[in-house]
Amino acid sequence: MSTRLATGGRLTDRTKQMKFRFNGQQMRGVEGDTLASALLANGQLMMGRSFKYHRPRGPVASGSEEPNALVNLGQGARFEPNQRATTTELFDGLVAASQNHWPSLQFDVGAINTHLSRFLPAGFYYKMFIHPRPLWKHVYEPFIRRSAGLGAAPDAETVDADTYEHFYTFTDVLVLGGGVAGLQAALTAARSGAQVLLLEQNAHWGGRTPVDGGEIDGKPAEQWIKDTVQALEAMGNVTLRSRTMGAGVYDHGYVLGYERLTDHAPETPGPRHRLWRIRAQQIVTATGAIERPLSFAGNDVPGVLLASAIRDYVVNYGVSIGDRTVVVTNNDDAYRTAICLHGHGLNVPVIIDARMQGGGALMAQAEALGIRVLKGKAIAKVKGTRKVTAVEICDQAGEGAVLETIPCDAVAMSGGWSPVVHLWSHCGGKLSWDEGNAFFRPDLSRAPTSHDGAPFVIPAGSANGYIQLKDTLADATTAGSSAATAAGHQPKVGTLPQVAPREEAAMLPVWLMPQGANVKLRSKAWLDFQNDVKVSDIQLAAQEGYESVEHAKRYTTLGMATDQGKLSNINGLATLSAALGEAIPSVGTTTFRPPYTPISMGSIAGQARGDIFQPVRETPLHGWHEAHGVHWEPVGQWRRPYSFVQQDETVEQSVNREVKAARDSLGLLDASTLGKIVVKGPDAGKFLDMLYTNMMSTLPVGKCRYGLMCNENGFLMDDGVVARMSDDTWLCHTTTGGAERIHAHMEEWLQTEWWDWQVYCANVTEQYAQIAVVGPNARKLLEKLGGMDVSRETLPFMQWAAGTLGGFPVRIFRISFSGELSYEIAVPASQGLALWERLHAEGAEWNATPYGTEALHILRAEKGFIMIGDETDGTVIPQDLGLGWAISKKKADYIGKRAQARSHMTDPTRWQLVGLETVDGSVLPDGALAVASGTNANGQRHTQGRVTSTYHSPTLNRGIAMGLVLNGPDRMGEVLEFTKLDGTTIPTKIVNAVFLDPEGEKQNV
Amino acid sequence: MSEPVSALNAAAFDGLAHVQEAGLHGMITLRGDHADADFAQAVADVAGVAMPDQREVVSGGDTSLIWMSPDELLLLCPYAEAGETVTKLTEALGDTHALAVDVSDARVVFTLTGTHIRDVIAKLAPVDMSPAAFRPGMVRRTRFAQVAAAVWLRDDETAQIICFRSVAPYMFALLCNAATPGTEVGIF
Amino acid sequence: MKRYSAFAIAREALRHHTGWERAWRKATPKKKYDVVIVGAGGHGLATAYYLGKNHGIKNVAILEKGWLGGGNTGRNTTIIRSNYLQDPSAAIYEKARSLYETMSQDLNYNVMFSPRGVMMLAQTHHEVRGYERTAHANSLQGVETQFIGPEKVKELCPIIRLDGPRYPVLGALYQPRGGTARHDAVAWGYARACSDMGMDIIQQCEVTAVRSDAGKVRGVTTTMGDIDCDKLAIVVAGNSGVLADMAGFRLPIESVALQALVSEPIKPAMDVVIMANTVHGYMSQSDKGEMVIGGGTDGYNNYTQRGSFHHVEETVRALIETFPMLSRLKMLRQWGGIVDITGDRSPIISKTPLGGCFINCGWGTGGFKAIPGSGWATAEMIAQGAPGPLASAFGLERFREGRFIDESVAAGVAH
Amino acid sequence: MLILECPYCGVHAEETELHGGGEAHLTRHGPESSDQDFEGYLFQRENPRGVHFERWRHVHGCGKWFHAARCTATLEVFGTYSAQTSEPPQHIRDRISAKRPGWSWRELA
C-alpha cells in the first residue's frame, strides 16, 4: 500500500498540514503536495477508471504526461473535469472526485467491458451495429453516446465564478522550460544583454535534476539551481515566470503562455489564468524528456509506474508506492530508482534488465547494495487487478514462459526516454530518428522558420536529445548563445558548467516484453492507458491495412486521449512499424498540435465576458432611451431603440402608436447611427460619380440627392442621401451598418485604384447626434425653437441649411424616409441630448413621440421605400427594385456597371419589386415564397417570388408587404399563393409598392 | 446654446492605474500630404507647433499635433477653440489639397496615469509596451481588445487613449477591468 | 470481401481477430484506366464508389499523394445538414444527407451517422427573418426543417443561455434529421467498398503533371510514373488551384485555413448540433465526449494547415457567451485544414476547358456534409460527360454569367 | 499569426491589426471589357502554393492599404511595399529571386 515515509519530501513542508476531500472522504496532506502525492500518502493508489474498459487505474507518472489520474475538481461554479492529480497543487479544502465509473470507483458496472474486451477490439464499432438500421438509431448509438466522456459535465447553468485576462509581451529570447537546461540557456542568452523571458510550467525550478542528483560546478545540483535562479532574478533583462506553460508555438514567433495564477490558491482575488501572447524573436524549447513505459502484460495495473515517477514521489514528496518494488528496465536510468528506494529503506526484490549484459556503473552500484539483478529477463505478466500483487518473470528473448514469480506491491518500469518535441514541432519543426537512443529528436536542419525565412526555434538539453546532465548543460549553453546571436546580440563566452561524466551502458530498444509475447499477453499489454489501446490493437490495425500512422492512430484512438499520447505515441509507433516490417522513421509520427497540455477555455476568452464581451456602441441619446422604456434592437454593434414601450402597452401596440403619431402629428427619431462621410477635393465629384449609380457631380450646393451604391459585382450594397456642402465638398449619408464599411470602400478605391485623384474623405458619423423631426407638425416645432427659416420656400424638400436652431449649432436636412414632412437635424454629439430633450419638451403640445426602428420600418414600407438588408440581400441589383431612375444613363462607368451587363443580370426573368396585399388583409409571413406550378429536375417546387419585408400597417390597418416577383410589375392585380410555415398558402394580390400618398404630397408641404 | 457634455462626463477609476475620461477636447482631423511644404507650413503656422515625425506627437502650450498617417494628423486643442481653428486652417490651407474637420465630439480621450500604465495597456493592445520600445512622445494606432484606438505616451506615467465616442463605455470598462487592483504583471 | 457484423466479431474474437482481412487492397498503378480520380478524400472516393455502383464504371484508379481521408475529410467538425436557402444547394446537400441515412448499410461499414438534429441559432431580429425565409424555402425543397422558439431551443440544448445580454436566443432553424458522422469512417468505408469493386486506391502517389493533346486529357504523370486515362477527375480540396494549373486553367478560388478544436471529453451534455452564425461558432459533442468546435476562416491564402490563434479566441469567446459552462472546460487540441473558397462560396462541379477533365472543388467550409451527394453528382457528370440536375447549377460558367449561388444572403445588416 | 511591416507608418503590425485584401495587382476591367476579362478580374485567382503578392490594409493603425510579397507555403514575408503601384518593385523581386530561384507569378519573375 502506498504511504507517507517517515522522512523526506524536498518539495513538502510537513509542518503545514492541509485537509482535502476525495470521493467524499476526508484526507490530509501537506503543503507542497500534489493531489496525486497526497492521495498516495493516504493509501489511495486507485484514482480512476479507463475510458473504454473501465479498468482500475492509479497514476503511472508524476507530471503533465499522466493519462490515468484525472479527477473532477472543485464544485459548483468552480467545478472542473479532467484535472490531472499529478499536476494539481494541493490546497486546504480541495474537493475532488474520481471519474468514469458507476456507482463507485471501487465497484464499477462499466468494468464488465474489461471482460468483454476480447469482443471490443480496435474499431469494433465500425464493424458492428450496422443491422438493423433502426436499432443503431434508437439503441446502439444512444448507448454509445451515454457511455462517452470521462469527467462529469459542469452543471448546465454554470456561470464561471473565475475571471481571466490576456497579456501581450515581446522578447528577444523566450525560453520554455525551467529545468537545468532552460536555466542555463536563459543565463547564457541573458549574459549577451538580450531580453529574456523564461517560463516554467511547474511551481518549482530545476526540473527533475534534483531528484536524479549529481553535481554541477562542484556543488549539488539543487544548490546550482538555486544560485542560477538567483543570478537570473538579479538581471534586469530577464523575466522568470513559474506556473506558466508554453502552450503553443505559432507562426512568426507567436507563443501562448498559460499562467495559472490562483489554481493553487483559489481564494486569492484576481484572474485565475492569464494567457500570455508572446512575440519572440527566438524560442528555446528546453522542455525536457519523458520516460516511456514498457509494453508487458498487466502494465496498466495500479502500482505499475514509470521508474522516474516512483523516484519523484519518494524524493519530492516523501511518498512510497509500495514496500516491495520490482524494477524493470532496458536502460541504466531505472537503476537510480532502485538505489533511491534502497536508500530510503524500501525493498527492491529484483531489478529485471532486458539487456543480456545488463547496465554500467549504476548496475554495479545497485549490486554492491545487494540488490538482485536479472539480465536478459522480462516481465511476462503483472498479477493483481486493483493493485499489483506479484510479477511473473520470463526471458526477454522468449514467448513468456514463466521462470519465477516474485511477490511485490509496486513495479517501476523504464523503456527509455523520449525528448519532448511538441513545441519544436507545433510550427513545422521536423524530427529525425536517433537509432542509438531509440527516440525522435529535433532535426536542426529542418527547423520551423519565421517571417524572415530563418529558423526561430532552438531545442535545448534533453528536449534536443541530450539526456546526460553534462551533455544537457553543454547543449543548453550552445542553444542560449545561438538564440542570443540570432536575436542580434553578442553572446559572452562564459565557462561551461562543470559536470563529472557518468558512464552509462547503452539502452536496448524494447517495444514488447517478452519480444515474442503470445497474443494473450499482447492483448493485455497497454500502449495508451486512458483510451485502452493495447499492442494487439495496433497490430490489428496494421493487419487490416490501416498502415499510415494517422490511420492506425484514428482507427485505434491511440494518442487521442487527454494526454495526447505523451506516453503512448512512440511505443505505438514502434509497434506499428514492427507489425509492418518497416523502419520506425519511414512510418513517421503523427502531427503535434497545440496546446502542449489542455488550457482553459476561460483563459482563451480572457477578459471578454459580461459587459466587455463585445463593444456596444451607444448614441449620445442612449441614456435617455434607457430611461424611457426602450426595447433595444442590436444593429451591428449599435443599440437602436426598437420601440419605446409605455406602461400597460404591448410592444406591438407601442409600435402602432409611434407610427400613428408620426403620421398624424409629430414623431422624433434618433438617427445618429446613420453614417456621415465628408468627401472633399478637386476630384471629389468625379469620385462620387464612380461610387454612386447616379450623378453626384452635378448636385448643386445646398441640395440633397438620394444615391445608390453597388459593389463591383453589381449588387446593391448601400444607399443614402448625399448633400453638396460646398464647391469641392460633399457629405455622404450611409446606412447604420454602412458607415465604416462605406468609408473603407471609399479609401480602398482611392488608395488602390485611383490614387492619382485628389480626394480626401473623413468619417464624421459620431461627431453629430442626428434627430429626425417627422410629421405634419414638424415645421411648427422647429419654428417654435426658432433661429432658422425652415419654411417651404427657404428650405424646400431635398435641401439643407446650416444655422442656429433654438441656440444649437445645427445642420438641417430636409429629407424624408417616412413620406411625412421631415427634418433631420445634425447637432454636435455633446449637445445631442440637450437638443433631443428640448425637442421632446417643446413638442409636447403636438404630442412629440419618440419612435424606434420598427416604426421607422413601417413608415418607410407604407411609402414603398426600400431598406438595405430587407429588399437587398447581396443578390439584388438596383434594376430589380425598380430603381432604374437612380441609375445614370449618361455615365460611361460606375462601380458595378460592367457587372450589371452580364447575361444573368440583364435576364428579363429576374424577379422585380412589387407591393403585396393579402386578400384577407392578414400579414404575410417573413420570407414567404410565391409558389408556381410543377417541380424542377430535383423535385423541388417551382417558385415565382418572395416576400422581402412585411408589416401590419396601422395607417391602413391591414397587412402590407414588398416582394420580388417574376414579371411582377406587369402583373398588377394578379393573385399569387404565398407559403405559410404550417404548409398552407395565402392568396396575395400584386399591387403598387407605394401604399400611401403616391404623389408625395405629404412630404412636400 | 447648451453646455456640451463629454461621453462619460469625466468618469474615473482607481486601480493599478488611475483611469480618467479626460472630458471634452478640441480635436481636428487633418488630411493632407505631410511632404507638401505648403500643407506643413499652413498647419505649423496655425497650430503653433512643428510637424511631428512618424508616429510622434509634438506639443506646445495646449496644442498637440499627433501623427496619424503620412497624410493624416490629429490636432488637439481646447474644445472651445476647435471650430475657430478649423476655419483658420481652412483659410491658411487655401488651395492646397487638404481637409480639416472638427471631430471633437466624434472621439473621446482617456488619461491613464500611474506606475503600472504599461501593464494595463499591454493587457489590451498587441503592442510592445516595454520602456525601450515605447517611449514618451510616441503614439501608436492599434486596437484595444476589440476596438480601434490611438495611444500616446505623454510621459512614463501618463498615457492618453483616444477612441470613438460610441465605444467610450466599452473602453472605460476595459481599462478599469485591466486595472483591477492586485493584477500587476510586473515585467516592465 | 468478408462482411462486417456482430457475428463476425464474435467469430473473430475466438481466434483473437487473426482472420480480419485488409479493409482495402494495396494496389500498384496499371498503365491505363477508364477514369483516374486525383484525390482519395471523401469526395474522390465517393465519386469512385458511385461511378461503380450507379454507372458500372469500375476500371478506376484513385490517386492520393498522402494517405486516404487525410485531408479535410479527417479534419472537419463532421456536421451534416441540408437546411440551405438556394435550390441548388438544398438539392445536393439533401441528397447527401439522405444518402448518409443509409450509408452504413450501403457500405457495410458503420460510419456512425447520428441524426441528433442541427439548430442554427437566430440571435438578432435580422437572423430570425433570414431563417424564417430559409424555412419557407426548405418547405418547398423537400427539406424537413422548422423554425422553433427559445423554449424549444432550451429543451433541446439545456446548456444554452437564452438571455445572454448581448445575443439573446430568439429562436432557431431546426433540422431534426441533421447531425454528425464519424469522418474517418466515411473515407474508410468508401475505400473498402471501392476496393471491393476492383478499383485501385493508390496512396503515396503524387500527381506531378496532367498530360493532354489536342485539348483532350491523356493521363497524368505521378511519382509512380505515367498513368493513362480516358477521363480525369480532380477532387483535391485545398490543392485544386495547383492541379488546375497543371491542367492549364485557373479557378475562381482562394485557399485559406479553417481551424477547429476539441475540448477534453466530458459526459454527454449536448445532444444536438449548434450553429451560431452571428458569433461565428459551431459546436457538437462527439461520441467520445469532446466538444467539437469550429469557427471562421483566416483572411489570407495559406497552405500550411496552421491557422491564426485569434480566430480560435473569437470562436471560444463567442461560444462561452451563449454556453457559459464551456468556460470551465479545457481545449485539448486545435488544428487547421485548407479550404477552397470560391467567388460565391458555393462549390464547383464542372467540366473544364480541358476535354475529358472534370473538377469537383470549392466546398469551402462545408464539404463533409456533401460527400455522398457530391460523389453521386460528380460520378453522373463523368459517366455522362455532362452535369446532371444535381450538378448543373454548379458549373464554372456561372461566374462569367453572374449567376451565383449565394448562401450568405443574410449578410447585409442595415437600417 | 502574421506580422507585416506597414510601409506607411513603419509599424510591425500583427495580423489582428490588419485586414487581408486578397490578390494584388489586378487590372480593373470596366464597361467596355469582354466577359472573359471581366470574369478574370473579379474571380480568377493565382492562389499559388508559394510566392504570392497580396493586398493588406493597416486597418487598426494608419488605415493605409499596402502590398505584401509572401510565401503561402511557409508564410515567409519577402517584403511589403506601396499600394500605389501596378507591379512589385524590382528590389522586392530581386529579394524573392535570391530566396526562391526560378519563381514566377503571372508573367512576373
Side-chain angles (χ1 to χ4, degrees), chain A residues 32 67 152 455 463 553 586 603-604 609 637 640 748 753 839 896 1001:
Chain A
K553 162 192 162 185
S586 69
S603 69
I604 295 171
R609 56 214 307 246
Q637 289 180 331
R640 296 197 71 185
E748 178 173 358
E753 185 66 28
L839 291 164
E1001 285 149 359

Side-chain angles (χ1 to χ4, degrees), chain B residues 113-149:
Chain B
T113 47
T115 50
H116 290 300
I117 58 173
R118 292 179 186 271
D119 285 30
V120 174
I121 296 167
K123 289 180 185 184
L124 301 171
V127 174
D128 187 349
M129 287 308 297
S130 61
F134 203 79
R135 297 183 304 277
M138 285 186 171
V139 64
R140 169 78 184 260
R141 294 175 76 182
T142 178
R143 65 177 175 88
F144 273 52
Q146 301 168 59
V147 292

Side-chain angles (χ1 to χ4, degrees), chain A residues 158-172:
Chain A
T158 298
V159 176
D160 198 333
D162 290 307
T163 61
Y164 306 82
E165 71 180 20
H166 292 158
F167 184 72
Y168 295 88
T169 192
F170 297 68
T171 188
D172 296 336

Side-chain angles (χ1 to χ4, degrees), chain C residues 49-294:
Chain C
Y49 175 74
Y50 294 111
L51 268 176
K53 183 163 186 266
N54 296 358
H55 306 282
I57 301 172
K58 298 181 177 175
N59 180 20
V60 175
I62 307 111
L63 311 182
E64 172 55 51
K65 76 170 174 171
W67 41 279
L68 69 88
N72 294 342
T73 303
R75 294 170 192 281
N76 65 86
T77 51
T78 79
I79 295 169
I80 293 162
R81 61 180 184 93
S82 60
N83 52 353
Y84 282 73
L85 176 66
Q86 311 288 5
D87 285 352
S89 319
I92 196 162
Y93 285 108
E94 175 58 18
K95 175 68 177 179
R97 198 205 58 76
S98 63
L99 287 168
Y100 267 117
E101 293 260 9
T102 56
M103 189 179 288
S104 297
Q105 291 71 33
D106 294 347
L107 302 180
N108 177 238
Y109 199 103
N110 190 349
V111 300
M112 292 183 247
F113 174 59
S114 169
R116 62 186 65 174
V118 173
M119 283 198 292
M120 308 182 74
L121 299 181
Q123 295 180 280
T124 66
H125 294 290
H126 190 268
E127 244 181 336
V128 170
R129 287 194 294 275
Y131 286 140
E132 284 173 345
R133 179 180 167 190
T134 307
H136 281 277
N138 292 160
S139 70
L140 300 179
Q141 293 161 336
V143 177
E144 186 203 330
T145 61
Q146 62 206 82
F147 189 84
I148 57 175
E151 312 70 27
K152 178 74 172 169
V153 170
K154 181 75 177 175
E155 177 191 324
L156 290 164
C157 182
I159 63 171
I160 200 167
R161 170 163 67 173
L162 295 178
D163 56 355
R166 204 60 51 92
Y167 292 115
V169 176
L170 305 174
L173 180 67
Y174 179 49
Q175 181 172 29
R177 298 298 298 167
T180 61
R182 177 83 180 89
H183 54 13
D184 295 321
V186 172
W188 299 340
Y190 274 124
R192 177 163 167 268
C194 289
S195 174
D196 188 50
M197 282 191 276
M199 298 177 175
D200 291 344
I201 301 167
I202 303 158
Q203 302 185 74
Q204 310 296 328
C205 175
E206 180 167 6
V207 171
T208 55
V210 172
R211 293 179 290 111
S212 67
D213 65 61
K216 168 104 180 53
V217 71
R218 285 284 164 261
V220 292
T221 305
T222 78
T223 48
M224 294 185 180
D226 283 4
I227 304 175
D228 293 347
C229 63
D230 296 334
K231 292 176 176 179
L232 176 69
I234 297 171
V235 195
V236 292
N239 297 280
S240 306
V242 179
L243 265 292
D245 190 46
M246 293 181 196
F249 58 93
R250 285 167 76 198
L251 292 168
I253 277 185
E254 305 258 25
S255 298
V256 303
L258 173 69
Q259 298 178 85
L261 62 110
V262 293
S263 76
E264 293 181 324
I266 55 170
K267 292 297 173 188
M270 194 178 82
D271 193 25
V272 61
V273 179
I274 291 279
M275 314 197 71
N277 290 339
T278 305
V279 293
H280 303 111
Y282 41 96
M283 174 165 72
S284 65
Q285 187 171 16
S286 75
D287 283 350
K288 271 181 103 272
E290 301 149 330
M291 303 305 273
V292 183
I293 294 171

Side-chain angles (χ1 to χ4, degrees), chain A residues 83 100 118 126 130 141 145 148 157 160 162 250-251 277 543-544 546-547 599 614 857 979, chain C residues 17 20 22-23 105 109-110 114 136 154 166 265 267 271 287 306 313 327-328 330-331 334 415:
Chain A
Q83 281 290 76
N100 202 39
R118 168 186 278 211
Y126 299 126
I130 295 172
E141 209 249 345
R145 306 256 351 264
E157 302 301 329
D160 198 333
D162 290 307
Y250 300 81
D251 292 290
R277 283 84 155 297
Q543 169 192 335
E544 293 191 89
Y546 299 91
E547 296 171 335
I599 64 175
Q614 262 187 11
H857 280 141
T979 53
Chain C
H17 304 282
W20 293 115
R22 296 178 63 96
Q105 291 71 33
Y109 199 103
N110 190 349
S114 169
H136 281 277
K154 181 75 177 175
R166 204 60 51 92
K267 292 297 173 188
D271 193 25
D287 283 350
R306 296 187 302 265
E313 176 187 334
S327 184
R328 300 301 301 186
K330 298 191 226 66
M331 174 173 78
Q334 67 167 109
H415 280 284

Side-chain angles (χ1 to χ4, degrees), chain A residues 658-682:
Chain A
E658 291 170 5
V659 171
K660 287 188 124 353
R663 286 266 178 251
D664 304 343
S665 179
L666 185 59
L668 299 176
L669 174 78
D670 178 359
S672 308
T673 57
L674 291 186
K676 308 161 200 72
I677 301 168
V678 175
V679 180
K680 176 176 187 280

